[in-house]
Amino acid sequence: MRFSLQSGAAALALSASIAVAQTPAERREPPAEEVPRGQTVMERPRPDYDPLGVRLGGFLFHPGFAVRQEFNSNVFATQRNRISDFITVLQPSFNLQSDWNNHSLGFYGGASIGRYWDETRENYEDFTLGTSGRLDVTRDTQLFGALSYRRLHEERSSPDDVGGREPTRYSIASAMLGAQHRLNRLAFRLDGTADRYRFRDTKAFGGGSIDQSGRDRDQLGLKLRTSYEFAPLREVYLLTGVNKRRYQEERDNAGFDRDSKGFEIAAGILYDLTGVTFLDLFVGYSEQDYQDRRLKTARGVSGGLKLIWNVTRLTTVTGALSREIEETTQLGASSYFATRSEVRIDHELLRNVIVSGHVGYQNDDFEGIRRDDDYYRAGVGARYLINRNFSAEGGYTFRKRDSNVTNADFNENVIYLRLSGRL
Protein backbone atom coordinates (compact mmCIF):
# COMPACT_ATOMS: atom_id res chain seq x y z
CA MET A 1 0.00 0.00 0.00
CA ARG A 2 2.77 2.41 0.93
CA PHE A 3 4.62 1.87 -2.37
CA SER A 4 1.53 2.48 -4.51
CA LEU A 5 0.44 5.63 -2.68
CA GLN A 6 3.90 7.18 -2.74
CA SER A 7 4.42 6.23 -6.36
CA GLY A 8 1.03 7.70 -7.33
CA ALA A 9 1.77 10.96 -5.55
CA ALA A 10 5.18 11.20 -7.21
CA ALA A 11 3.71 10.55 -10.67
CA LEU A 12 1.06 13.24 -10.19
CA ALA A 13 3.70 15.67 -8.97
CA LEU A 14 5.84 14.99 -12.07
CA SER A 15 2.84 15.43 -14.38
CA ALA A 16 1.91 18.69 -12.72
CA SER A 17 5.49 19.97 -13.03
CA ILE A 18 5.51 19.24 -16.77
CA ALA A 19 2.12 20.92 -17.20
CA VAL A 20 3.30 23.98 -15.27
CA ALA A 21 6.33 24.29 -17.52
CA GLN A 22 4.15 24.09 -20.64
CA THR A 23 1.33 26.42 -19.57
CA PRO A 24 1.97 30.14 -20.06
CA ALA A 25 0.44 32.59 -17.59
CA GLU A 26 -0.34 36.17 -18.45
CA ARG A 27 -0.49 38.80 -15.73
CA ARG A 28 -3.40 41.16 -16.13
CA GLU A 29 -5.90 42.91 -13.90
CA PRO A 30 -9.48 41.77 -14.55
CA PRO A 31 -11.88 44.42 -15.85
CA ALA A 32 -14.21 45.88 -13.23
CA GLU A 33 -17.25 44.20 -14.76
CA GLU A 34 -15.69 40.75 -14.14
CA VAL A 35 -15.64 41.24 -10.35
CA PRO A 36 -19.01 40.25 -8.83
CA ARG A 37 -20.06 42.18 -5.75
CA GLY A 38 -19.21 40.48 -2.48
CA GLN A 39 -16.89 37.84 -3.94
CA THR A 40 -13.31 37.42 -2.83
CA VAL A 41 -10.30 36.72 -5.03
CA MET A 42 -10.59 33.01 -4.16
CA GLU A 43 -14.32 32.82 -4.94
CA ARG A 44 -14.25 34.81 -8.17
CA PRO A 45 -15.27 32.99 -11.39
CA ARG A 46 -12.42 32.44 -13.85
CA PRO A 47 -13.99 31.51 -17.20
CA ASP A 48 -10.64 30.43 -18.67
CA TYR A 49 -9.90 28.02 -15.83
CA ASP A 50 -13.24 26.94 -14.30
CA PRO A 51 -14.18 23.30 -15.07
CA LEU A 52 -17.11 22.95 -17.46
CA GLY A 53 -18.61 19.84 -15.89
CA VAL A 54 -20.64 17.13 -17.56
CA ARG A 55 -24.22 18.00 -18.54
CA LEU A 56 -26.80 15.45 -17.40
CA GLY A 57 -30.16 16.81 -18.48
CA GLY A 58 -30.92 19.78 -16.24
CA PHE A 59 -27.91 19.07 -14.01
CA LEU A 60 -24.18 19.76 -14.13
CA PHE A 61 -21.95 16.98 -12.80
CA HIS A 62 -18.46 17.78 -11.45
CA PRO A 63 -16.44 14.71 -10.40
CA GLY A 64 -13.02 15.28 -8.90
CA PHE A 65 -10.00 13.61 -7.38
CA ALA A 66 -7.03 14.94 -5.41
CA VAL A 67 -3.87 13.61 -3.79
CA ARG A 68 -2.45 15.49 -0.83
CA GLN A 69 0.99 14.76 0.56
CA GLU A 70 1.89 16.31 3.88
CA PHE A 71 4.52 16.20 6.60
CA ASN A 72 3.41 16.73 10.21
CA SER A 73 6.09 17.37 12.84
CA ASN A 74 3.85 16.31 15.77
CA VAL A 75 1.13 13.87 14.74
CA PHE A 76 0.01 13.14 18.32
CA ALA A 77 -0.03 16.83 19.39
CA THR A 78 2.17 16.17 22.44
CA GLN A 79 4.40 18.51 24.44
CA ARG A 80 7.22 15.97 24.73
CA ASN A 81 8.38 12.92 22.78
CA ARG A 82 7.08 14.32 19.51
CA ILE A 83 6.64 11.94 16.62
CA SER A 84 6.69 13.17 13.03
CA ASP A 85 5.35 11.39 9.97
CA PHE A 86 4.37 11.71 6.33
CA ILE A 87 0.69 11.30 5.44
CA THR A 88 -0.75 10.59 1.99
CA VAL A 89 -4.40 11.59 1.62
CA LEU A 90 -6.67 10.53 -1.27
CA GLN A 91 -9.68 12.82 -1.81
CA PRO A 92 -12.33 11.77 -4.36
CA SER A 93 -15.39 14.02 -4.62
CA PHE A 94 -18.43 14.84 -6.72
CA ASN A 95 -21.01 17.59 -7.06
CA LEU A 96 -24.27 17.29 -8.99
CA GLN A 97 -26.13 20.62 -9.18
CA SER A 98 -29.30 21.60 -11.00
CA ASP A 99 -29.20 24.33 -13.64
CA TRP A 100 -32.83 25.44 -13.54
CA ASN A 101 -34.38 28.90 -13.81
CA ASN A 102 -36.50 28.21 -10.72
CA HIS A 103 -35.94 25.94 -7.74
CA SER A 104 -32.63 24.24 -6.97
CA LEU A 105 -31.47 20.72 -6.15
CA GLY A 106 -27.98 19.44 -5.52
CA PHE A 107 -26.13 16.33 -4.39
CA TYR A 108 -22.55 16.18 -3.17
CA GLY A 109 -20.09 13.78 -1.65
CA GLY A 110 -16.46 13.24 -0.91
CA ALA A 111 -13.95 11.20 1.02
CA SER A 112 -10.64 11.80 2.74
CA ILE A 113 -8.59 8.62 3.05
CA GLY A 114 -5.43 9.18 5.07
CA ARG A 115 -2.50 6.79 5.17
CA TYR A 116 0.42 7.37 7.55
CA TRP A 117 3.77 6.08 6.36
CA ASP A 118 4.92 4.89 9.81
CA GLU A 119 2.13 5.43 12.39
CA THR A 120 -0.34 3.26 10.53
CA ARG A 121 -2.72 2.99 13.49
CA GLU A 122 -3.58 6.65 12.82
CA ASN A 123 -4.97 5.82 9.36
CA TYR A 124 -8.48 7.10 8.72
CA GLU A 125 -11.30 6.97 6.19
CA ASP A 126 -13.62 9.99 6.43
CA PHE A 127 -16.49 10.65 4.03
CA THR A 128 -19.45 12.96 3.46
CA LEU A 129 -22.71 12.53 1.54
CA GLY A 130 -25.42 15.13 1.28
CA THR A 131 -28.19 16.83 -0.63
CA SER A 132 -29.78 20.27 -0.47
CA GLY A 133 -32.56 22.03 -2.30
CA ARG A 134 -34.69 25.14 -2.63
CA LEU A 135 -38.36 25.39 -3.65
CA ASP A 136 -39.41 28.77 -5.04
CA VAL A 137 -43.04 28.91 -3.96
CA THR A 138 -43.41 32.51 -5.14
CA ARG A 139 -40.99 35.32 -5.93
CA ASP A 140 -40.98 36.30 -2.25
CA THR A 141 -41.30 32.88 -0.61
CA GLN A 142 -38.83 30.00 -0.63
CA LEU A 143 -38.57 26.69 1.18
CA PHE A 144 -35.20 25.07 1.95
CA GLY A 145 -34.13 21.57 2.90
CA ALA A 146 -30.91 19.61 3.41
CA LEU A 147 -29.75 16.16 4.51
CA SER A 148 -26.20 14.99 5.14
CA TYR A 149 -24.22 12.17 6.70
CA ARG A 150 -20.58 12.49 7.74
CA ARG A 151 -18.17 9.92 9.14
CA LEU A 152 -15.18 11.59 10.76
CA HIS A 153 -12.31 11.02 13.16
CA GLU A 154 -11.36 13.08 16.20
CA GLU A 155 -8.10 14.99 16.02
CA ARG A 156 -5.42 14.03 18.55
CA SER A 157 -5.25 17.70 19.58
CA SER A 158 -8.89 17.68 20.75
CA PRO A 159 -9.30 18.11 24.53
CA ASP A 160 -11.91 15.32 24.36
CA ASP A 161 -9.52 12.80 22.78
CA VAL A 162 -9.60 9.70 25.01
CA GLY A 163 -6.05 8.61 24.22
CA GLY A 164 -6.89 5.28 22.58
CA ARG A 165 -4.67 3.16 20.39
CA GLU A 166 -6.51 4.59 17.38
CA PRO A 167 -8.30 7.89 16.74
CA THR A 168 -11.94 8.06 17.84
CA ARG A 169 -14.37 7.53 14.95
CA TYR A 170 -17.76 9.18 14.99
CA SER A 171 -20.62 10.12 12.66
CA ILE A 172 -22.99 13.07 12.32
CA ALA A 173 -26.37 12.71 10.60
CA SER A 174 -27.95 16.12 9.95
CA ALA A 175 -31.26 17.46 8.63
CA MET A 176 -32.46 21.01 8.00
CA LEU A 177 -35.79 22.53 7.01
CA GLY A 178 -36.24 26.24 6.45
CA ALA A 179 -38.58 28.85 5.04
CA GLN A 180 -38.05 32.45 3.97
CA HIS A 181 -40.58 35.15 3.17
CA ARG A 182 -40.10 38.79 2.17
CA LEU A 183 -42.58 41.64 2.67
CA ASN A 184 -41.12 44.60 0.79
CA ARG A 185 -38.08 45.53 2.92
CA LEU A 186 -38.93 43.18 5.78
CA ALA A 187 -37.82 39.53 5.57
CA PHE A 188 -38.14 36.47 7.80
CA ARG A 189 -36.22 33.21 7.69
CA LEU A 190 -36.95 30.28 10.02
CA ASP A 191 -34.62 27.25 10.16
CA GLY A 192 -35.00 24.01 12.08
CA THR A 193 -32.00 21.68 12.45
CA ALA A 194 -31.41 18.21 13.83
CA ASP A 195 -27.99 16.61 14.36
CA ARG A 196 -27.32 13.09 15.63
CA TYR A 197 -23.81 12.33 16.95
CA ARG A 198 -22.69 8.72 17.33
CA PHE A 199 -19.24 7.71 18.65
CA ARG A 200 -17.58 4.33 18.19
CA ASP A 201 -15.77 2.60 21.05
CA THR A 202 -11.99 2.99 20.77
CA LYS A 203 -9.34 0.32 21.30
CA ALA A 204 -7.38 0.90 24.50
CA PHE A 205 -3.68 0.38 25.14
CA GLY A 206 -3.21 -2.89 27.00
CA GLY A 207 -6.31 -4.49 25.50
CA GLY A 208 -10.05 -3.94 25.71
CA SER A 209 -11.89 -0.87 24.52
CA ILE A 210 -12.87 2.59 25.76
CA ASP A 211 -16.64 3.04 26.07
CA GLN A 212 -17.80 6.10 24.09
CA SER A 213 -21.55 5.61 24.36
CA GLY A 214 -21.80 8.42 26.92
CA ARG A 215 -20.93 10.90 24.17
CA ASP A 216 -23.80 9.92 21.84
CA ARG A 217 -26.31 12.76 21.60
CA ASP A 218 -29.03 14.45 19.56
CA GLN A 219 -29.09 18.22 19.06
CA LEU A 220 -32.21 20.10 17.96
CA GLY A 221 -32.27 23.78 17.05
CA LEU A 222 -34.73 26.41 15.87
CA LYS A 223 -33.57 29.85 14.72
CA LEU A 224 -35.46 32.89 13.39
CA ARG A 225 -33.76 35.70 11.47
CA THR A 226 -35.79 38.90 11.06
CA SER A 227 -34.24 41.55 8.82
CA TYR A 228 -35.05 45.01 7.51
CA GLU A 229 -33.36 46.45 4.40
CA PHE A 230 -32.96 50.18 5.04
CA ALA A 231 -31.00 50.67 1.77
CA PRO A 232 -30.03 48.45 -1.16
CA LEU A 233 -27.64 45.70 0.08
CA ARG A 234 -27.75 47.16 3.61
CA GLU A 235 -29.87 45.72 6.38
CA VAL A 236 -30.24 45.28 10.11
CA TYR A 237 -31.44 42.00 11.59
CA LEU A 238 -32.43 40.22 14.79
CA LEU A 239 -31.46 36.62 15.54
CA THR A 240 -33.39 34.50 18.04
CA GLY A 241 -32.86 30.81 18.62
CA VAL A 242 -33.44 27.93 20.98
CA ASN A 243 -31.81 24.49 21.19
CA LYS A 244 -32.06 21.21 23.05
CA ARG A 245 -29.24 18.68 23.51
CA ARG A 246 -30.15 15.19 24.67
CA TYR A 247 -27.65 12.40 25.36
CA GLN A 248 -28.56 8.78 24.67
CA GLU A 249 -27.19 7.60 28.02
CA GLU A 250 -28.93 8.95 31.10
CA ARG A 251 -25.48 9.54 32.61
CA ASP A 252 -22.00 9.50 31.10
CA ASN A 253 -19.11 7.35 32.33
CA ALA A 254 -18.37 9.88 35.09
CA GLY A 255 -21.99 9.92 36.31
CA PHE A 256 -23.05 13.30 34.83
CA ASP A 257 -26.41 13.96 33.16
CA ARG A 258 -25.33 16.17 30.23
CA ASP A 259 -28.78 16.94 28.79
CA SER A 260 -29.26 20.68 28.32
CA LYS A 261 -31.35 23.40 26.73
CA GLY A 262 -30.32 26.86 25.66
CA PHE A 263 -31.18 30.04 23.80
CA GLU A 264 -29.51 32.87 21.89
CA ILE A 265 -30.56 36.40 21.01
CA ALA A 266 -28.51 38.82 18.93
CA ALA A 267 -28.74 41.94 16.78
CA GLY A 268 -26.71 42.50 13.65
CA ILE A 269 -26.02 44.54 10.57
CA LEU A 270 -25.21 43.52 7.00
CA TYR A 271 -23.50 46.30 5.07
CA ASP A 272 -22.23 46.64 1.51
CA LEU A 273 -20.03 49.70 0.96
CA THR A 274 -19.88 50.43 -2.80
CA GLY A 275 -19.07 46.82 -3.66
CA VAL A 276 -15.62 47.05 -2.08
CA THR A 277 -16.14 46.41 1.63
CA PHE A 278 -18.70 43.98 3.05
CA LEU A 279 -19.54 43.70 6.73
CA ASP A 280 -21.70 41.15 8.56
CA LEU A 281 -21.67 41.75 12.33
CA PHE A 282 -23.93 40.49 15.12
CA VAL A 283 -23.60 40.63 18.90
CA GLY A 284 -25.83 39.02 21.48
CA TYR A 285 -26.21 36.77 24.49
CA SER A 286 -26.22 32.95 24.77
CA GLU A 287 -27.07 30.59 27.59
CA GLN A 288 -26.91 26.80 27.97
CA ASP A 289 -28.51 25.27 31.09
CA TYR A 290 -27.66 21.67 32.08
CA GLN A 291 -29.90 19.07 33.65
CA ASP A 292 -27.24 18.05 36.16
CA ARG A 293 -26.90 20.79 38.78
CA ARG A 294 -23.22 19.92 39.19
CA LEU A 295 -22.59 21.19 35.65
CA LYS A 296 -22.21 24.95 35.49
CA THR A 297 -24.62 26.93 33.33
CA ALA A 298 -22.78 28.57 30.44
CA ARG A 299 -23.87 32.15 29.82
CA GLY A 300 -22.29 35.20 28.27
CA VAL A 301 -21.70 37.38 25.23
CA SER A 302 -21.82 35.65 21.84
CA GLY A 303 -21.62 36.87 18.29
CA GLY A 304 -19.86 36.87 14.98
CA LEU A 305 -18.13 39.06 12.44
CA LYS A 306 -17.18 38.65 8.79
CA LEU A 307 -15.40 41.47 7.00
CA ILE A 308 -14.43 41.36 3.32
CA TRP A 309 -12.26 44.15 1.94
CA ASN A 310 -11.37 44.05 -1.73
CA VAL A 311 -8.32 46.29 -1.47
CA THR A 312 -7.90 46.10 -5.25
CA ARG A 313 -9.43 43.84 -7.89
CA LEU A 314 -6.45 41.55 -7.29
CA THR A 315 -6.26 41.52 -3.48
CA THR A 316 -8.80 40.57 -0.81
CA VAL A 317 -8.47 40.85 2.97
CA THR A 318 -10.95 38.74 4.95
CA GLY A 319 -11.49 38.95 8.69
CA ALA A 320 -13.61 36.65 10.84
CA LEU A 321 -14.51 36.56 14.53
CA SER A 322 -16.96 34.36 16.46
CA ARG A 323 -17.85 33.41 20.02
CA GLU A 324 -20.20 30.52 20.84
CA ILE A 325 -20.87 27.72 23.31
CA GLU A 326 -19.46 24.29 22.39
CA GLU A 327 -20.03 20.84 23.89
CA THR A 328 -17.30 18.93 25.74
CA THR A 329 -16.96 15.72 27.75
CA GLN A 330 -14.05 16.97 29.86
CA LEU A 331 -14.51 15.66 33.42
CA GLY A 332 -16.37 18.26 35.49
CA ALA A 333 -16.85 20.71 32.60
CA SER A 334 -20.29 21.49 31.22
CA SER A 335 -19.11 23.18 28.00
CA TYR A 336 -16.74 25.88 26.85
CA PHE A 337 -16.90 29.27 25.15
CA ALA A 338 -14.91 29.12 21.92
CA THR A 339 -13.67 32.50 20.68
CA ARG A 340 -12.17 32.27 17.18
CA SER A 341 -10.54 34.93 15.02
CA GLU A 342 -8.68 34.95 11.72
CA VAL A 343 -7.29 37.39 9.16
CA ARG A 344 -6.58 36.13 5.66
CA ILE A 345 -5.03 37.81 2.60
CA ASP A 346 -5.46 36.43 -0.93
CA HIS A 347 -3.65 37.96 -3.89
CA GLU A 348 -3.98 37.13 -7.57
CA LEU A 349 -0.31 37.19 -8.55
CA LEU A 350 -1.15 35.99 -12.07
CA ARG A 351 -4.48 35.21 -13.64
CA ASN A 352 -3.99 31.56 -12.65
CA VAL A 353 -1.69 31.93 -9.63
CA ILE A 354 -3.12 32.91 -6.22
CA VAL A 355 -0.95 33.36 -3.13
CA SER A 356 -2.41 33.46 0.38
CA GLY A 357 -1.47 34.05 3.99
CA HIS A 358 -3.39 33.81 7.25
CA VAL A 359 -3.02 34.26 11.00
CA GLY A 360 -5.51 33.12 13.61
CA TYR A 361 -6.19 32.91 17.32
CA GLN A 362 -8.66 30.82 19.36
CA ASN A 363 -9.46 30.76 23.06
CA ASP A 364 -11.38 27.88 24.68
CA ASP A 365 -12.64 28.86 28.15
CA PHE A 366 -14.10 25.81 29.92
CA GLU A 367 -17.10 26.19 32.20
CA GLY A 368 -16.91 24.45 35.59
CA ILE A 369 -13.19 23.59 35.56
CA ARG A 370 -10.04 25.67 35.56
CA ARG A 371 -8.97 25.02 32.01
CA ASP A 372 -8.16 27.72 29.50
CA ASP A 373 -6.57 26.94 26.11
CA ASP A 374 -5.07 29.44 23.67
CA TYR A 375 -4.44 28.37 20.07
CA TYR A 376 -2.24 30.27 17.62
CA ARG A 377 -1.90 29.47 13.94
CA ALA A 378 -0.34 30.99 10.86
CA GLY A 379 0.33 29.85 7.34
CA VAL A 380 1.18 30.68 3.75
CA GLY A 381 0.22 28.96 0.54
CA ALA A 382 -0.11 29.21 -3.21
CA ARG A 383 -2.51 27.75 -5.77
CA TYR A 384 -1.70 27.22 -9.44
CA LEU A 385 -4.54 26.69 -11.94
CA ILE A 386 -2.88 24.59 -14.63
CA ASN A 387 -5.93 24.50 -16.89
CA ARG A 388 -9.68 23.90 -16.58
CA ASN A 389 -9.23 20.44 -15.14
CA PHE A 390 -6.03 20.43 -13.10
CA SER A 391 -4.55 22.52 -10.31
CA ALA A 392 -1.71 22.32 -7.81
CA GLU A 393 -1.30 23.95 -4.44
CA GLY A 394 1.08 23.83 -1.54
CA GLY A 395 1.95 25.62 1.64
CA TYR A 396 3.05 25.64 5.24
CA THR A 397 1.00 25.88 8.46
CA PHE A 398 2.12 26.39 12.06
CA ARG A 399 -0.16 25.71 15.05
CA LYS A 400 0.46 26.07 18.78
CA ARG A 401 -1.56 25.54 21.98
CA ASP A 402 -0.81 27.20 25.31
CA SER A 403 -2.86 25.70 28.14
CA ASN A 404 -2.96 26.09 31.91
CA VAL A 405 -3.28 22.29 32.14
CA THR A 406 -0.03 20.40 32.73
CA ASN A 407 1.43 18.73 29.60
CA ALA A 408 -1.37 20.04 27.35
CA ASP A 409 0.84 22.45 25.38
CA PHE A 410 1.99 21.51 21.89
CA ASN A 411 3.09 22.94 18.58
CA GLU A 412 3.17 21.45 15.12
CA ASN A 413 4.47 22.28 11.66
CA VAL A 414 2.71 21.01 8.55
CA ILE A 415 4.06 21.22 5.00
CA TYR A 416 1.76 20.04 2.21
CA LEU A 417 1.41 19.63 -1.55
CA ARG A 418 -1.96 18.92 -3.18
CA LEU A 419 -2.60 17.97 -6.81
CA SER A 420 -6.20 17.84 -7.99
CA GLY A 421 -8.27 17.23 -11.07
CA ARG A 422 -11.90 18.07 -11.78
CA LEU A 423 -14.20 17.83 -14.79
Side-chain angles (χ1 to χ4, degrees):
M1 172 63 77
R2 178 188 299 182
F3 176 80
S4 61
L5 288 175
Q6 296 174 16
S7 301
L12 280 175
L14 178 60
S15 301
S17 300
I18 296 173
V20 168
Q22 295 178 344
T23 306
E26 179 182 335
R27 183 190 180 106
R28 68 182 181 89
E29 185 168 305
E33 61 270 15
E34 292 185 19
V35 183
R37 299 176 70 93
Q39 288 191 333
T40 68
V41 166
M42 292 295 290
E43 300 169 339
R44 185 175 303 155
R46 291 176 170 79
D48 295 337
Y49 295 97
D50 290 338
L52 299 177
V54 180
R55 173 137 327 251
L56 299 175
F59 289 81
L60 277 177
F61 179 57
H62 289 280
F65 187 82
V67 176
R68 175 185 168 109
Q69 185 62 56
E70 69 177 54
F71 169 79
N72 189 320
S73 66
N74 191 359
V75 297
F76 293 100
T78 56
Q79 185 173 0
R80 299 181 179 86
N81 302 320
R82 301 173 188 172
I83 297 176
S84 61
D85 203 354
F86 289 91
I87 308 102
T88 301
V89 186
L90 306 181
Q91 298 174 314
S93 64
F94 76 89
N95 184 58
L96 180 65
Q97 183 62 49
S98 66
D99 188 24
W100 307 331
N101 293 329
N102 295 308
H103 317 303
S104 175
L105 179 62
F107 303 88
Y108 61 90
S112 185
I113 304 168
R115 290 294 180 265
Y116 286 71
W117 290 17
D118 293 321
E119 304 299 323
T120 56
R121 287 186 298 196
E122 296 299 299
N123 291 347
Y124 60 88
E125 299 86 26
D126 297 345
F127 72 84
T128 298
L129 289 173
T131 180
S132 63
R134 186 192 73 248
L135 178 64
D136 299 323
V137 181
T138 67
R139 181 178 178 181
D140 297 319
T141 305
Q142 295 84 37
L143 301 178
F144 303 89
L147 292 171
S148 69
Y149 180 83
R150 291 173 286 167
R151 192 177 73 180
L152 308 169
H153 72 284
E154 197 164 50
E155 297 292 337
R156 289 297 190 176
S157 59
S158 170
D160 295 325
D161 178 49
V162 295
R165 292 182 59 192
E166 301 173 347
T168 298
R169 270 77 173 180
Y170 66 100
S171 64
I172 308 175
S174 301
M176 184 276 288
L177 284 176
Q180 178 174 282
H181 182 67
R182 178 171 291 277
L183 294 170
N184 295 321
R185 295 189 175 188
L186 191 64
F188 304 90
R189 171 150 181 169
L190 181 67
D191 288 301
T193 59
D195 299 297
R196 169 165 286 191
Y197 291 75
R198 292 295 181 267
F199 292 80
R200 293 176 57 184
D201 291 349
T202 304
K203 292 182 180 179
F205 286 99
S209 62
I210 302 173
D211 182 13
Q212 301 266 45
S213 60
R215 304 178 67 183
D216 295 346
R217 64 184 184 271
D218 298 326
Q219 297 185 179
L220 303 176
L222 187 65
K223 182 173 289 188
L224 174 65
R225 185 182 189 274
T226 306
S227 62
Y228 177 78
E229 187 179 45
F230 60 89
L233 302 176
R234 301 175 185 178
E235 65 182 39
V236 292
Y237 58 88
L238 178 68
L239 294 174
T240 53
V242 294
N243 70 75
K244 186 174 183 179
R245 301 171 183 176
R246 183 171 182 177
Y247 283 73
Q248 291 301 296
E249 298 288 337
E250 184 176 349
R251 297 187 181 277
D252 65 13
N253 294 340
F256 290 97
D257 183 350
R258 291 191 169 274
D259 291 355
S260 67
K261 56 184 178 181
F263 71 89
E264 176 187 16
I265 183 168
I269 183 170
L270 187 66
Y271 201 87
D272 176 351
L273 183 61
T274 67
V276 174
T277 303
F278 306 85
L279 172 70
D280 187 356
L281 168 68
F282 66 94
V283 179
Y285 175 87
S286 295
E287 182 173 305
Q288 198 73 26
D289 187 34
Y290 292 82
Q291 187 72 24
D292 197 315
R293 294 297 93 189
R294 294 172 296 172
L295 296 176
K296 183 180 178 181
T297 298
R299 54 169 65 94
V301 175
S302 61
L305 164 70
K306 184 175 183 181
L307 175 66
I308 299 175
W309 176 28
N310 286 314
V311 184
T312 70
R313 292 193 295 275
L314 299 176
T315 305
T316 300
V317 177
T318 306
L321 175 67
S322 65
R323 189 170 194 263
E324 57 188 343
I325 299 172
E326 298 281 7
E327 288 289 285
T328 183
T329 52
Q330 279 278 295
L331 182 62
S334 60
S335 55
Y336 64 93
F337 266 101
T339 304
R340 305 179 179 94
S341 61
E342 183 181 61
V343 176
R344 179 185 177 93
I345 300 177
D346 298 305
H347 177 70
E348 190 177 284
L349 188 64
L350 299 172
R351 185 61 171 162
N352 58 339
V353 177
I354 304 167
V355 294
S356 304
H358 71 273
V359 294
Y361 168 76
Q362 178 177 334
N363 173 259
D364 292 345
D365 185 8
F366 288 77
E367 299 291 325
I369 62 174
R370 294 183 177 180
R371 176 163 186 162
D372 192 88
D373 294 344
D374 292 314
Y375 294 86
Y376 305 89
R377 62 185 180 277
V380 293
R383 184 182 185 195
Y384 183 83
L385 305 176
I386 301 171
N387 53 40
R388 289 187 185 277
N389 304 116
F390 295 97
S391 64
E393 59 185 290
Y396 164 77
T397 302
F398 170 78
R399 191 163 64 115
K400 178 181 180 179
R401 178 170 68 197
D402 285 336
S403 176
N404 60 357
V405 174
T406 304
N407 295 326
D409 295 350
F410 78 89
N411 62 68
E412 67 179 11
N413 299 274
V414 175
I415 302 172
Y416 68 92
L417 171 66
R418 185 174 186 264
L419 305 173
S420 59
R422 190 180 182 208
L423 295 181

